[in-house]
Amino acid sequence: MIVHVGETYLLLSYLIAITTSIIIAIGLKMPILPEKPRRFSWTNSAVFPTPIIALGLLAICFSINFIWIYNGIVLAIITGVVSALFVKYLFYYVFPNPPETMEEVNE
């Protein structure tokens, strides 16, 4: 995989995508951490899976050499915003809860 962005801009873009996604998720009133016990929690939060989705979307864009302007910095901001909106409003439609926890959600 050849990325036509310097390593500094690549790392900076990833960090911007992470921070933007967390800040927007907190602004959308998502909890910062999932509910306890965190190991078996299926609730979305600002820390997980929001930045992971932002990193994945940005990595896909960089791997197909879609960098856009300012060496991917603006793309990192847009990716962070889109991932936070996706996790807040569309995550459970794309990835539904496991069957054993659907009864707990309906109660």
Side-chain angles (χ1 to χ4, degrees), residues 21-36 38 41-51 87-88 92:
S21 66
I22 290 174
I23 290 170
I24 297 296
I26 291 172
L28 290 172
K29 306 288 186 203
M30 289 180 65
I32 296 174
L33 293 173
E35 60 190 25
K36 291 186 178 181
R38 290 186 183 99
S41 175
W42 291 102
T43 58
N44 293 336
S45 66
V47 176
F48 183 80
T50 310
V87 170
K88 174 70 177 184
Y92 287 120

Side-chain angles (χ1 to χ4, degrees), residues 57-77:
L57 288 175
L58 191 61
I60 290 170
C61 291
F62 282 157
S63 68
I64 61 173
N65 291 327
F66 179 68
I67 299 168
W68 206 31
I69 56 176
Y70 298 115
N71 289 326
I73 302 292
V74 176
L75 183 64
I77 294 170

